[in-house]
Amino acid sequence: MSFMEKNYKRLENEYCYSGHDLGSTWTKEKTAFKVWAPLADSVSLRLYKSGDTDDREVLETLFMKEEDKGVYCLTVEDDLHGIYYTYLVERDGETAEVCDPYAKSVGVNGDRAMVIDLSSTDPEGWESDMNPHIAEGITDAVIYEGHIRDLTAAPNSGIYEKGKFLGLAETGTHTPSGDASGIEHMKELGITHLHILPMYDFSSLDEKEEEPGYNWGYDPKNYNVPEGTYSTDPYDGAARISELKQMIKVLHDNKISVVMDVVYNHVADAAEFSFNKIVPGYFVRTDKKGNLSNGSGCGNDVASERFMVRKFIEDSVYYWATEYHIDGFRFDLAGLIDVDTINGIINRVKSVRPDVIFYGEGWSLHTAAGRRVSLATQKNSSKMPEFAFFNDTMRDTLRGGLFDKTKGYVSGSLKGQRKLAKCFTGLYKWSKSPDRTVNYVSCHDNNTLHDRLRMACPDVYETEIARMNKFAAAFVFLSQGIPFIQAGEELMRTKVNTNGSFNENSYKAGDGVNAINYSAASDEIVRDVYEYYKGLIAFRKAHRVLRLSDRYDVKKTISRIRSGVGEGLMGFKLRPRDEEEILVYFNACMNQRLIVLPYGDWDVYVDADRASAEPLKPAKGFATIQPLSAMVFIRHKRTGDL
Ligand code: CA
């Protein structure tokens, strides 16, 4: 039996602390420190002038007093803003020096916490800053997934602070060829939400290096602190906070909401994680033999079902939503987190910010949570009505299998049309309503859409890949649900290794492979794809009927066209109450298909070549749908002359 198994029951029965004051709380006159350490024999607070562990000069070491529920407390009467600290936790004659798991800021590399006057980090106008899409629902969102470095670091990006939070606070930027970059590019495209890969403090990069290198950052170290390598001064605990807030403020000012990728399912290193050093083994799951559970594939799984872990995660998400004005959270491997924790987080955040959106990866993984714990998987979606899951069925059916090079529906396979028809309505199996499904065909994981299509079709012209790319995008943006694209998908983004092969896991491959080349938009074929994405987004925004959130509305409004279609050709009729009738067709065949239009005058808004919120051309009687493409018709408004 492991140490934690022996102690676990006692902790859950006697030591559940529910106060919202763990960590350090600053005022000008005094700072209060509180740490949950129920198994410690004693805890002391150590104060430092420097956040760098190489600087060993100690200002003071002070005994803390054990109070209710195993919480050790101390209040220091002084203005401690900018002072760094650690806890010395003694148990069975051994002492560990630990960073505060509730640290709001840290010194370089995150080993010492910092006391901070958070109001000093607020940019001008922060009090009135808010979600620019506050009044909209999750199905109104157009999500764009990017990494701080990828979005800014290309040599031709025209962005000054490459690889930094501040780089994404630069407006009006463009490449030497005149193509918009960074925020300007996102505005031009028309997205509503920028989803940013991990930007809390992670451990894989050395913040002391002048050139710290590249990592996606799925290795959490301090959950409530921004990552130091994205700051212009990782040594100054206030800089990373104020710079991230500036970035968020500028994005909000430009009508872009911010989603944060959060990784509460595992930590960088179970033994080294601060919470575990204070309460050994409490934060992570172990199996019957006492071995770390590893459903995450990252060496450990967080025990979200334990009271103080659940509370820690809830506190953390609430903190980002309120202190940093984060507008959405994407949960990495949510399927390892329990349903009650997910719902607890959502309830807590929505009690003050009902506009915040939540979604994540609902894959079923093996983890030692015990049979009685219900996990946040796709299968359990009905237990989490305000949480959406990535729809891998849509992804894999459209582009082809994840772990092979086969063709998908958009590259000439006719397989899976039935599944796609369900996905189109936002009601695929586990998804009981469209606001529960994140529709996508590529994200940071695995090959880019362009590369995956190219692997399935090595011998076709690039214009053919472009056509398939457009076809896939049309399906994503015309479907019910929440559309999501990987940054650069609209520019036929490619990730090429130095040996010419495509990179399918670029988590540490560097800027050369990962940075987005905005100048690609100057290439004629790419430009055409980019314009198509812009048109699809504008079209989606113009029609409320594409953004339904209720299953009964879907059933009332959308029907499948049954005549003149068949294998490789799907059609849908959308009959909204307040808009004209819309017909949507998808032709996965390699030959063009003729369809009969219902009586009346129609306009085409989407075809193989273009997509627009404005009519492209009229149609009447018959229409031809090009191979591997979507087509959308809207009935002419009936005016008084009828
Ligand atoms: Ca770090």
Side-chain angles (χ1 to χ4, degrees):
M1 194 184 263
S2 74
F3 174 79
M4 186 38 59
E5 278 175 83
K6 268 183 278 175
N7 288 288
Y8 176 62
K9 266 223 168 81
R10 190 162 65 92
L11 293 179
E12 294 301 83
N13 289 336
E14 298 167 37
Y15 291 95
C16 294
Y17 179 74
S18 42
H20 293 305
D21 53 359
L22 292 174
S24 64
T25 309
W26 174 94
T27 63
K28 189 116 190 94
E29 295 74 36
K30 61 188 180 204
T31 294
F33 297 86
K34 290 197 176 189
V35 56
W36 187 67
L39 301 177
D41 295 328
S42 80
V43 182
S44 306
L45 171 73
R46 181 164 275 179
L47 302 179
Y48 295 95
K49 204 167 173 181
S50 167
D52 185 347
T53 48
D54 285 347
D55 183 340
R56 289 168 196 233
E57 193 194 328
V58 175
L59 291 176
E60 240 177 321
T61 305
L62 303 159
F63 266 110
M64 299 181 78
K65 199 169 147 236
E66 187 176 3
E67 290 181 3
D68 196 27
K69 309 283 186 194
V71 174
Y72 284 77
C73 309
L74 182 71
T75 298
V76 179
E77 309 267 342
D78 202 350
D79 180 357
L80 295 189
H81 170 68
I83 297 292
Y84 293 86
Y85 69 98
T86 57
Y87 295 126
L88 303 180
V89 182
E90 195 205 331
R91 192 172 55 81
D92 298 337
E94 281 181 42
T95 301
E97 180 167 14
V98 193
C99 187
D100 185 352
Y102 272 84
K104 295 184 175 90
S105 195
V106 291
V108 68
N109 283 330
D111 293 317
R112 289 179 187 166
M114 188 182 104
V115 178
I116 187 151
D117 164 12
L118 284 166
S119 68
S120 72
T121 62
D122 293 349
E124 185 119 354
W126 189 244
E127 324 69 53
S128 54
D129 173 73
M130 63 161 110
N131 182 358
H133 299 282
I134 192 162
E136 295 162 26
I138 190 168
T139 53
D140 297 321
V142 175
I143 302 173
Y144 190 71
E145 182 209 38
H147 179 279
I148 295 284
R149 292 200 71 90
D150 298 7
L151 295 168
T152 59
N156 66 357
S157 70
I159 291 171
Y160 180 71
E161 292 287 4
K162 292 182 172 60
K164 305 292 180 196
F165 292 132
L166 290 180
L168 268 190
E170 293 175 32
T171 53
T173 57
H174 55 81
T175 67
S177 50
D179 297 300
S181 63
I183 288 183
E184 286 315 300
H185 175 78
M186 293 180 234
K187 278 166 68 178
E188 207 174 81
L189 180 57
I191 60 140
T192 63
H193 287 66
L194 172 62
H195 154 156
I196 303 175
L197 261 63
M199 53 180 180
Y200 53 75
D201 179 36
F202 54 80
S203 83
S204 49
L205 300 179
D206 184 353
E207 298 178 3
K208 289 188 174 181
E209 293 289 330
E210 194 61 37
E211 300 281 340
Y214 181 99
N215 204 285
W216 281 347
Y218 289 93
D219 50 326
K221 182 159 179 174
N222 289 290
Y223 278 104
N224 301 323
V225 181
E227 162 60 14
T229 57
Y230 299 146
S231 156
T232 59
D233 184 1
Y235 288 87
D236 172 5
R240 57 179 78 194
I241 300 180
S242 68
E243 290 172 6
L244 175 54
K245 283 180 174 174
Q246 285 175 58
M247 180 194 94
I248 293 166
K249 175 79 168 60
V250 174
L251 285 163
H252 282 175
D253 290 346
N254 285 278
K255 302 278 178 288
I256 298 170
S257 305
V258 180
V259 174
M260 185 174 175
D261 190 342
V262 287
V263 185
Y264 294 108
N265 69 84
H266 68 269
V267 297
D269 181 333
E272 285 302 309
F273 184 60
S274 56
F275 203 122
N276 268 344
K277 281 172 115 176
I278 297 171
V279 194
Y282 185 80
F283 207 77
V284 289
R285 293 177 186 138
T286 40
D287 63 17
K288 288 210 169 73
K289 291 178 186 154
N291 298 317
L292 286 172
S293 173
N294 186 24
S296 66
C298 300
N300 61 80
D301 301 336
V302 169
S304 62
E305 66 281 7
R306 293 179 184 164
F307 186 90
M308 293 302 286
V309 178
R310 175 177 295 161
K311 174 184 159 46
F312 177 84
I313 301 173
E314 268 186 40
D315 286 345
S316 177
V317 178
Y318 182 87
Y319 176 70
W320 285 103
T322 51
E323 183 62 34
Y324 286 88
H325 305 180
I326 296 289
D327 310 303
F329 295 89
R330 175 267 188 194
F331 283 74
D332 186 62
L333 303 182
L336 290 173
I337 300 171
D338 67 287
V339 166
D340 292 342
T341 296
I342 291 291
N343 285 332
I345 292 165
I346 295 172
N347 291 338
R348 175 110 183 271
V349 172
K350 292 223 176 204
S351 70
V352 291
R353 286 201 51 196
D355 56 305
V356 175
I357 62 172
F358 296 90
Y359 56 95
E361 296 178 306
W363 329 134
S364 292
L365 301 160
H366 185 72
T367 185
R371 280 211 198 112
R372 292 160 77 179
V373 174
S374 179
L375 295 166
T377 56
Q378 282 174 346
K379 218 172 53 198
N380 285 331
S381 167
S382 60
K383 298 176 184 170
M384 295 158 283
E386 297 188 275
F387 192 86
F389 288 103
F390 283 98
N391 189 335
D392 54 328
T393 302
M394 182 184 289
R395 178 195 69 197
D396 294 349
T397 314
L398 286 175
R399 78 175 195 180
L402 193 56
F403 300 110
D404 55 42
K405 297 182 176 72
T406 54
K407 289 180 179 178
Y409 195 75
V410 301
S411 46
S413 158
L414 304 185
K415 274 193 234 143
Q417 182 163 290
R418 257 217 189 127
K419 284 190 213 167
L420 283 177
K422 288 266 178 214
C423 288
F424 179 81
T425 64
L427 304 177
Y428 178 75
K429 283 189 182 169
W430 46 267
S431 174
K432 297 287 179 253
S433 54
D435 53 5
R436 314 231 184 132
T437 170
V438 176
N439 297 333
Y440 74 123
V441 71
S442 82
C443 69
H444 67 279
D445 280 320
N446 313 112
N447 291 112
T448 67
L449 177 58
H450 166 275
D451 295 350
R452 181 63 184 75
L453 293 171
R454 178 48 84 193
M455 287 158 78
C457 310
D459 303 320
V460 303
Y461 288 117
E462 191 72 353
T463 47
E464 282 305 298
I465 300 293
R467 166 188 291 261
M468 296 169 191
N469 188 327
K470 286 155 81 174
F471 187 22
F475 199 92
V476 167
F477 285 105
L478 296 169
S479 290
Q480 299 294 325
I482 307 144
F484 169 107
I485 60 173
Q486 179 182 200
E489 193 190 289
E490 74 285 7
L491 298 175
M492 299 180 82
R493 182 175 178 182
T494 179
K495 294 182 185 174
V496 187
N497 296 315
T498 39
N499 68 4
S501 61
F502 293 130
N503 192 308
E504 59 173 342
N505 185 9
S506 63
Y507 77 101
K508 58 174 185 181
D511 297 334
V513 169
N514 285 295
I516 292 171
N517 173 21
Y518 295 101
S519 277
S522 285
D523 173 272
E524 202 184 322
I525 296 170
V526 175
R527 183 91 217 164
D528 182 53
V529 171
Y530 181 39
E531 293 299 332
Y532 197 80
Y533 272 79
K534 279 158 67 175
L536 285 171
I537 292 171
F539 181 75
R540 184 176 173 87
K541 284 180 171 174
H543 297 279
R544 211 149 55 102
V545 68
L546 298 174
R547 300 178 267 118
L548 302 174
S549 53
D550 184 274
R551 72 181 277 112
Y552 298 103
D553 286 344
V554 171
K555 298 205 160 185
K556 266 190 298 195
T557 315
I558 302 176
S559 59
R560 188 121 179 237
I561 295 168
R562 299 287 175 187
S563 68
V565 292
E567 197 181 32
L569 181 67
M570 267 193 286
F572 300 89
K573 191 187 295 180
L574 282 65
R575 295 185 98 151
R577 214 188 291 170
D578 53 348
E579 289 176 42
E580 297 304 312
E581 190 172 326
I582 300 178
L583 304 176
V584 178
Y585 282 92
F586 300 103
N587 180 15
C589 303
M590 300 306 262
N591 53 311
Q592 60 181 41
R593 303 284 289 262
L594 192 70
I595 55 143
V596 182
L597 287 167
Y599 179 79
D601 294 321
W602 298 80
D603 283 312
V604 176
Y605 284 75
V606 177
D607 64 14
D609 303 316
R610 289 179 298 161
S612 172
E614 302 300 323
L616 300 172
K617 60 187 176 196
K620 194 176 177 136
F622 297 91
T624 305
I625 305 179
Q626 295 302 314
L628 301 184
S629 75
M631 201 158 181
V632 177
F633 308 85
I634 302 185
R635 197 191 285 276
H636 253 330
K637 272 204 174 73
R638 286 171 209 225
T639 41
D641 59 350
L642 272 178

